[in-house]
Amino acid sequence: MKTAIRVAVVDDHPLFREGVARSLSEIEGFEIVAEGRSKDDAIKIAEDRQPDVLLLDISMPGGGLNAISAIIERVPTQKIVMLTVSESSDDVTAALDRGAKGYVLKGVGARTLAEIIRNIAAGESYVAPALSARLLSNRSTPEPRRQTAIATLTNREHEVLHLVASGLSNKLVARKLDLHEKTIKHHMTQIMAKLGVGNRTEAAMALRDVIDERNDQ
């Protein structure tokens, strides 16, 4: 029997927080280990409970974005997912830059949220597709070094990155290429290191930027 994914939910709206906690607890493979309503609660939960995944709202007392940096400073391995109504590109960028592994909009269904949490617990990252597309469209012209970095990728790494950029998870990429999921994770680690990015979304952005630049030439 697999160990349940330990999740904490921090949101200052009790009905929403309790609803998320209850929905996840009713899905096999999840355990709710703590709930909170503020930045201070989030920090204490991360330090004391060390959940596998910590769900944070942005607009809570103390600020969810501020909580990310404080938590990562104290618990560097903590996986944080923003669960919010904010569709601001600035908020998405700030959350990812500060160390969040996921950015999910509150309209998501319980089963979809559960799948996202599973993937993040397994080492992946996630940004709501509509927001990811907006970030890509808002990006400025890529730096020459990024174009050079893309050129250093192997054929297999190019293949993996193109599939990831199309929105596929590591598991689906592995199926499509008939490889082990662990192999795909290794390729993504190499890709991110070569591109100098911190997560899958940024790697996809880098590829899209370079493609757009080439098309404009």
Side-chain angles (χ1 to χ4, degrees), residues 82-138:
M82 307 312 291
L83 182 56
T84 177
V85 297
S86 173
E87 298 187 23
S88 164
S89 295
D90 288 343
D91 284 344
V92 179
T93 301
L96 297 177
D97 287 347
R98 296 182 192 196
K101 299 298 183 184
Y103 197 99
V104 184
L105 295 177
K106 282 187 174 180
V108 70
R111 293 286 171 181
T112 301
L113 178 61
E115 184 61 25
I116 292 167
I117 292 173
R118 285 191 193 98
N119 290 335
I120 287 173
E124 298 187 21
S125 58
Y126 176 89
V127 173
L131 302 183
S132 180
R134 189 182 305 164
L135 284 177
L136 289 169
S137 67
N138 289 340

Side-chain angles (χ1 to χ4, degrees), residues 93-191:
T93 301
L96 297 177
D97 287 347
R98 296 182 192 196
K101 299 298 183 184
Y103 197 99
V104 184
L105 295 177
K106 282 187 174 180
V108 70
R111 293 286 171 181
T112 301
L113 178 61
E115 184 61 25
I116 292 167
I117 292 173
R118 285 191 193 98
N119 290 335
I120 287 173
E124 298 187 21
S125 58
Y126 176 89
V127 173
L131 302 183
S132 180
R134 189 182 305 164
L135 284 177
L136 289 169
S137 67
N138 289 340
R139 299 278 287 187
S140 59
T141 302
E143 300 175 11
R145 67 174 184 80
R146 185 146 289 178
Q147 296 184 45
T148 302
I150 289 285
T152 68
L153 300 181
T154 66
N155 289 338
R156 178 63 84 187
E157 287 168 350
H158 269 290
E159 203 170 13
V160 169
L161 182 54
H162 275 274
L163 291 172
V164 167
S166 73
L168 298 186
S169 66
N170 284 349
K171 183 180 293 186
L172 292 177
V173 173
R175 287 179 188 171
K176 196 169 186 67
L177 298 180
D178 196 22
L179 296 171
H180 291 295
E181 186 177 355
K182 188 176 294 184
T183 302
I184 301 303
K185 289 180 179 178
H186 172 72
H187 282 311
M188 281 307 304
T189 298
Q190 294 296 109
I191 290 167

Side-chain angles (χ1 to χ4, degrees), residues 27-108:
I27 297 175
E28 185 178 357
F30 290 91
E31 177 189 357
I32 303 301
V33 297
E35 293 181 38
R37 63 174 301 277
S38 66
K39 171 189 171 184
D40 290 342
D41 289 345
I43 294 170
K44 183 172 176 55
I45 288 169
E47 290 183 312
D48 295 348
R49 304 294 294 170
Q50 297 188 10
D52 296 315
V53 176
L54 176 58
L55 300 179
L56 293 184
D57 187 23
I58 283 184
S59 57
M60 62 183 185
L65 293 176
N66 294 331
I68 300 172
S69 302
I71 291 168
I72 296 300
E73 182 178 337
R74 293 167 174 79
V75 188
T77 58
Q78 180 64 65
K79 290 173 178 152
I80 297 171
V81 176
M82 307 312 291
L83 182 56
T84 177
V85 297
S86 173
E87 298 187 23
S88 164
S89 295
D90 288 343
D91 284 344
V92 179
T93 301
L96 297 177
D97 287 347
R98 296 182 192 196
K101 299 298 183 184
Y103 197 99
V104 184
L105 295 177
K106 282 187 174 180
V108 70

